Amino acid sequence: MRNPHAGEPFVASDEDIETALLDVSIPTLMLCLVHLTGDPSILRGHLKPAGLFLNEVQGYMSEEDKAEIRQLALGIIAGYRDSGCLEPTPLAPEVIHEMMSWLVCEEVPTEYVAMLMEEMGLDGTDARRPPSTESAGVRSEFPVVVIGCGESGLLAGIRLKEAGIPFTILEKNDGVGGTWWENTYPGARVDVGNHFYCYSFEPSDAWTEYFAQQPELQAYFERVMDKHDVRPHVHFGHEVVSASWSDTEGRWLVVARDRNGINVEFSARAVITAVGQLNRPNIPEIPGHETFAGPSFHSAQWDHDVDLEGRRVAMIGAGASGFQIAPTIAPTVAHLSVFQRTAQWMFPNPNYHETVGPGVRWALRHLPFYGRWYRFLILWPGCDVGLHAARVDPAYPDQERAVSETNEVTRQIFTDWIMSQIGDDNDLAAKVIPDYPPTGKRTLQDNGSWLTALTRPNVELVRTGIDHIEPDAIVTTDGVRHEADVLVYATGFHANRVLWPIEITGRDGVVLSKMWGERPAALLGMTVPGFPNFFCMYGPGTNLAHGGSLIFHSECQMRYIGRCIAHLIEGGHESMEPTLSAYQDWHERSQAELKTLVWSQPSVKHSFFKNSHGEIHVLSPWRLVDYWSWTQEPDLNDFIVTTPTPGANR
Ligand code: NAP
């Protein structure tokens, strides 16, 4: 069978190829040429990228160099076509390592190579796919319930299906996608490049934008769900209200409320929670909020029946969601008042709203391994570099401004980006330049649309605090009334209330939310003592603020969970749960590590990363490569594994 990443054969004319090559990433194209010729020597000459920056995919190459490569490529690609687009011979591992380093203009450390090889799957295999070991009969005795059918729940379903394990997914919404189902607000789009923000084993050559909008993302998950035939396993419109472990039965009882408000019970040997961290809207109780006379709604519950055209809109909150909403609605509303408590740092990304040209889509579909190398090209700049930049240097003098010299350089780049857009408007500069170190909160992607919106005559950025809400206005603490017909809360989510409001009861009647309080924790973000056969995806300590993608993390987690379940099935075990000491050790180490990073800085006063004590429990402080390596296999020394007494019927 042809390697799925070797591209579909084609018969395009020379002219068509030439046109397509005008669009493509030239450094990525060079690596396709190595695959096509089997000869890496073209990388060793003068043609090479000059530098790397996230989402800059041309390596700062000169126009002359790019033209030279296109010319070279045309001949090689035409030759490949004329000889029938035969699958290229696999390259030696050391050549691939050389190609990695060449593409990103730095030596890719050896410790990363295995992870990257797996992520790219150049050999056409899916190394994270679980083996199906025991007989179907044995596996059928181990039903699993997955809670949630967003990107992680769908992934869990795909992997369980591949392993031949019976499973049911319970999803509160009426469709797949989680966040990408719920967030239909104007302008909703992903801010991790889509050619990386997709499952490693389900790349798409059809993205129409580099950072796709919500409908396209939701459609992607829909397509993947159907391709893997997961839909028959999903109960949509079923919101899980509780899950409780029975020691006598060695099973979980999961209760879900269906669309008619009727509770339905499911029995399982294991539960996987895949509910995300950002889906329970936070609507602050601002005095008078209930008196507002016009329509009001949260960004994640957008009311599309409300026509904003010609109306005065007040938007409270401007983090990641508000940042996308304001520029999208500003041209149609009569007036927009944006109430922003804390200014946001933003990362310059000129491609943020760019469409994927036909040449790039042709290359993704037809040029051997183009898509794989492109994935690597946008993955690498967000692979642990951000963690280094987030590290606090305690000796750095002005911690309110920057936490290290590297962080100061970042501050300069971000500030220059802002100032390049607003010229000498010092009043606006005072409002939009944050007063805390860069990357201290989630950094937003920006192509200039935010500041363009703010400088429109019908848009006002309000940085004064809100005092109260009246039927037709938001009143700020300076007594100014900001009149509004419609109120949008872009105020984020209850990110720190992990798994809330599901009531999860483990061994001895312990309720997880009570045990956690404001300090949720799980070994590797996945398992909790006293909660046997209970696995979290995107659990505590796994949100990423330093790069990577949550899909990458989910794939690591699901491999680990799959191995745990395989261990239970193969060993005929009843349950596994982490030891208290492994759990505590993990939590203490994670906390110690988090305290060394910019997100914990006291100068970051408001951040959904922090709980009410100013502590962080939702983020991962770890390098992707470490998390990847720690989640290869469960270390059984970290677990208490029980086996049923002979004759027990499970
Ligand atoms: P968010 O980033 O937490 O922003 C919430 C906004 O509401 C902030 O401006 C916050 O101010 C403000 N706010 C909250 N409570 C307030 C109060 N009591 N009074 C005044 N202002 C208040 O929430 P979000 O924009 O929904 O984004 C949440 C997360 O979702 C993001 O960080 C990201 O992980 C994800 N997301 C991703 C994308 C994407 O991929 N493009 C898009 C949207 C969301 P403070 O800053 O002062 O707290």
Side-chain angles (χ1 to χ4, degrees):
M1 210 175 71
R2 190 175 171 92
N3 183 322
H5 308 304
E8 291 172 17
F10 58 90
V11 288
S13 67
D14 282 13
E15 291 70 33
D16 287 346
I17 298 170
E18 208 170 356
T19 308
L21 297 187
L22 291 173
D23 264 3
V24 305
S25 154
I26 297 297
T28 312
L29 175 67
M30 275 286 268
L31 299 188
C32 293
L33 302 185
V34 177
H35 284 282
L36 291 177
T37 59
D39 179 6
S41 64
I42 50 171
L43 305 183
R44 296 170 190 155
H46 69 285
L47 295 171
K48 52 180 62 167
L52 182 72
F53 194 71
L54 182 62
N55 300 316
E56 202 296 316
V57 297
Q58 297 296 355
Y60 303 99
M61 291 179 100
S62 69
E63 287 310 317
E64 295 75 41
D65 283 0
K66 287 196 277 188
E68 190 177 336
I69 294 168
R70 284 193 197 100
Q71 201 53 41
L72 177 73
L74 180 60
I76 293 171
I77 294 168
Y80 166 69
R81 172 201 60 200
D82 295 343
S83 53
C85 298
L86 298 178
E87 185 176 325
T89 310
L91 298 169
E94 57 278 11
V95 172
I96 293 177
H97 189 179
E98 179 183 351
M99 292 161 82
M100 287 178 183
S101 302
W102 181 90
L103 187 61
V104 298
C105 308
E106 63 175 309
E107 179 66 17
V108 172
T110 316
E111 65 171 330
Y112 281 86
V113 174
M115 176 184 92
L116 296 166
M117 293 290 271
E118 185 187 291
E119 179 70 19
M120 289 203 288
L122 289 171
D123 61 0
T125 63
D126 171 8
R128 296 174 190 154
R129 188 188 165 106
S132 169
T133 45
E134 291 297 316
S135 71
V138 174
R139 283 185 263 121
S140 71
E141 298 294 309
F142 204 94
V144 175
V145 161
V146 179
I147 307 176
C149 198
E151 67 82 12
S152 59
L154 173 60
L155 173 71
I158 292 169
R159 294 314 196 190
L160 289 167
K161 193 170 176 89
E162 287 168 347
I165 292 165
F167 67 97
T168 303
I169 303 181
L170 303 172
E171 166 56 58
K172 69 178 176 355
N173 295 322
D174 288 331
V176 64
T179 236
W180 299 116
W181 172 269
E182 292 174 7
N183 285 271
T184 61
Y185 62 75
R189 70 169 76 231
V190 68
D191 59 7
V192 177
N194 262 121
H195 298 94
F196 171 42
Y197 187 82
C198 55
Y199 299 118
S200 62
F201 57 94
E202 280 299 345
S204 169
D205 54 25
W207 298 114
T208 62
E209 294 179 273
Y210 288 100
F211 298 84
Q213 300 191 50
Q214 176 270 336
E216 193 167 3
L217 284 153
Q218 199 278 326
Y220 167 81
F221 290 109
E222 193 99 29
R223 211 167 51 243
V224 172
M225 175 173 69
D226 286 332
K227 180 172 171 192
H228 290 263
D229 203 19
V230 171
R231 190 185 294 270
H233 300 261
V234 191
H235 292 253
F236 288 112
H238 279 64
E239 175 161 7
V240 172
V241 288
S242 67
S244 14
W245 170 258
S246 161
D247 237 353
T248 44
E249 292 178 30
R251 281 179 171 260
W252 284 94
L253 178 70
V254 181
V255 180
R257 193 181 301 121
D258 74 7
R259 290 185 189 93
N260 303 316
I262 295 170
N263 282 349
V264 189
E265 295 184 350
F266 299 83
S267 171
R269 293 287 306 279
V271 165
I272 300 174
T273 64
V275 299
Q277 290 185 3
L278 300 166
N279 63 16
R280 298 289 173 176
N282 164 44
I283 300 188
E285 302 231 325
I286 298 169
H289 68 99
E290 68 289 353
T291 66
F292 190 75
S296 67
F297 45 85
H298 187 271
S299 55
Q301 297 163 333
W302 197 268
D303 186 345
H304 291 276
D305 291 337
V306 177
D307 185 1
L308 297 183
E309 194 171 334
R311 304 184 81 177
R312 296 167 304 175
V313 178
M315 184 176 79
I316 300 180
S321 304
F323 209 71
Q324 296 181 326
I325 294 167
T328 315
I329 64 172
T332 49
V333 300
H335 189 267
L336 173 64
S337 307
V338 178
F339 296 85
Q340 191 185 44
R341 185 168 60 184
T342 310
Q344 290 279 159
W345 284 111
M346 43 192 165
F347 188 94
N349 178 2
N351 286 337
Y352 195 31
H353 292 178
E354 286 302 303
T355 53
V356 181
V360 171
R361 280 196 264 160
W362 182 85
L364 287 164
R365 184 155 302 169
H366 296 293
L367 290 187
F369 308 106
Y370 181 93
R372 295 282 99 183
W373 284 108
Y374 192 78
R375 185 179 185 92
F376 168 65
L377 180 60
I378 53 176
L379 174 172
W380 182 254
C383 185
D384 299 340
V385 181
L387 198 55
H388 169 65
R391 183 87 48 207
V392 175
D393 170 3
Y396 197 75
D398 189 356
Q399 296 278 331
E400 299 273 308
R401 185 186 154 82
V403 296
S404 67
E405 222 160 301
T406 313
N407 196 240
E408 175 63 41
V409 173
T410 307
R411 184 183 187 100
Q412 212 46 61
I413 295 170
F414 289 180
T415 307
D416 289 351
W417 170 246
I418 294 172
M419 294 311 291
S420 71
Q421 297 174 64
I422 62 175
D424 55 5
D425 188 341
N426 291 332
D427 290 344
L428 187 56
K431 280 178 162 182
V432 297
I433 295 185
D435 59 358
Y436 56 91
T439 72
K441 286 160 72 84
R442 192 168 190 274
T443 308
L444 307 180
Q445 298 286 313
D446 180 55
N447 64 344
S449 59
W450 169 249
L451 289 170
T452 304
L454 294 189
T455 47
R456 291 177 65 93
N458 67 333
V459 177
E460 183 190 12
L461 175 65
V462 183
R463 293 291 318 279
T464 312
I466 298 171
D467 184 73
H468 67 278
I469 297 177
E470 294 183 355
D472 62 346
I474 314 296
V475 183
T476 39
T477 52
D478 52 7
V480 176
R481 292 180 87 254
H482 304 265
E483 294 190 351
D485 309 312
V486 180
L487 174 51
V488 174
Y489 290 98
T491 40
F493 302 89
H494 290 282
N496 277 282
R497 303 180 77 176
V498 177
L499 298 179
W500 177 76
I502 307 171
E503 177 151 299
I504 296 164
T505 310
R507 216 189 271 292
D508 304 324
V510 176
V511 175
L512 188 56
S513 58
K514 293 204 176 104
M515 177 181 140
W516 274 348
E518 278 204 69
R519 298 184 170 91
L523 175 62
L524 289 163
M526 288 183 275
T527 59
V528 185
F531 292 78
N533 299 359
F534 179 78
F535 305 98
C536 303
M537 298 185 74
Y538 193 1
T542 64
N543 199 358
L544 286 168
H546 64 78
S549 110
L550 288 174
I551 295 184
F552 170 83
H553 249 197
S554 295
E555 290 191 15
C556 293
Q557 287 152 13
M558 195 50 215
R559 169 172 33 207
Y560 180 93
I561 294 168
R563 296 280 202 273
C564 289
I565 292 175
H567 177 70
L568 288 165
I569 294 177
E570 287 162 20
H573 302 302
E574 177 165 279
S575 72
M576 66 191 294
E577 63 184 278
T579 63
L580 192 58
S581 61
Y583 169 84
Q584 284 172 338
D585 175 62
W586 167 261
H587 189 222
E588 279 161 22
R589 283 190 294 116
S590 298
Q591 284 298 297
E593 198 70 15
L594 277 160
K595 290 192 173 78
T596 68
L597 296 163
V598 64
W599 317 307
S600 298
Q601 272 303 91
S603 58
V604 182
K605 296 195 178 58
H606 298 288
S607 157
F608 77 83
F609 297 159
K610 291 183 176 177
N611 67 12
S612 66
H613 308 286
E615 302 164 355
I616 298 180
H617 294 271
V618 292
L619 292 184
S620 168
W622 305 113
R623 299 190 307 166
L624 299 183
V625 69
D626 290 328
Y627 194 71
W628 172 81
S629 101
W630 297 334
T631 51
Q632 298 279 309
E633 280 288 342
D635 179 348
L636 294 176
N637 294 318
D638 289 343
F639 286 90
I640 300 163
V641 178
T642 66
T643 308
T645 43
N649 184 10
R650 299 304 193 207

